[in-house]
Amino acid sequence: MAEKLSFYDYIRHELDDIQSSGLFKKERVITSAQRARISVQTPSGSKEVLNFCANNYLGLSAHPDVIKAAQDALATHGFGLSSVRFICGTQDLHKTLESRLSQFLGTQDTILYPAAFDANGGLFEPLLGEMDAIVSDQLNHASIIDGIRLCKAKRYRYLHNDMADARRCCEEARRDGARFILVFTDGVFSMDGTIAQLDKLRIICDEYNALLGIDECHATGFLGKTGRGTHEFKGVFGKIDIITGTLGKAMGGASGGFTSGRSEVIQLLRQRSRPYLFSNTLAPNIVGATIKVLDMIENSTELRDRLMNNTRFFREAIQAEGFEIKTGEHPIIPIMIYDAVKTQALATRLLDLDIYAIGFFFPVVPKNQARIRVQMSAAHSQTDLEKAVSAFGHAGRELGII
Ligand SMILES: *Cc1c(COP(=O)(O)O)cnc(C)c1O
């Protein structure tokens, strides 16, 4: 009993540490569907705010056509399958979605997972062994880092987005006698909206006979002329060996992930990838709705065009208001405040003004790099954006930031 108590003491101590370092995460409770305008709970009830922190890039999270497709699939294919894919959890819908994703991404085959976290978690270990090398960007997503940890391949890390250092890693891996080399990077890095230099990475990979893999969670559905992703944006469509991504962001935002690539790779993942073998199949309504999402974005670029127009407008307007941003083209827009305390005060004041945006500070981002990160959506109207910019200006002047 005494031992047990000391365990709970230890847990409470850890929680206190998190609290005192200012890193305790709280969940804000939303009482509406996920949209540009959401209702959030407040101590006195609830209020409506303009939402600038969802990954709802295309505004599909509560789109009537997507909801209708989910309801249709629920009616025809049921609520759940109570099975993993290979026992009795594969419906015609799952096969259709896999082939539609392959077509969309320019690959041969695709395997669905319960989440992109699982796609990355189950990617490396089945494909590579101790004779092999994985070269990865130092700022890659946690799920990639965890996936690589589960694999016996030798690891090489390059400085964030540094092509000379990526080349150095490939050089070292070759010199160390690697059998296969896989270079893996986020297509888009979510803290800065930085878009990976896939054109340059492809050249480096070809030079060292390395494979190139990307995580497209912040790209699939909207980046590139027809929204196919970073490979389209960077002119290397059809030249990426492995693509992982999520259905939980632009593609409707429910949940689900995938890995896409050469058919033999996907076949081996179906045999050996543990999150696929030992975790439940994706619910039919998510699958049906995602097929509808693909119909919508393949038939028209209207949503991604609107998203990109919103992005251009906001990037210009917020700078004209006197704020500094990280330059770029992605709908993730970091508004640099640098000072953590001011960043927090600004986020709080913005919420008073009905603008919901999140501040990030150390250790989520480097020291003295505190920022408010806003994310554009196709669902934001011009008026929404103007209202946000003016609230930023108002609060920024009040707090002496601009
Ligand atoms: C969101 C995200 C994931 C996880 O996606 P889920 O489908 O929610 O598990 C993985 N990688 C990157 C880069 C992400 O941004």
Side-chain angles (χ1 to χ4, degrees), residues 83 173 341:
S83 170
V341 176

Side-chain angles (χ1 to χ4, degrees), residues 115-117 120 141 143 186 188 190 215 217-218 246 248-249 256-257:
F117 205 104
N120 288 330
H141 189 264
S143 56
D186 283 23
V188 173
S190 65
D215 172 338
C217 285
H218 288 280
T246 187
K249 289 180 174 132

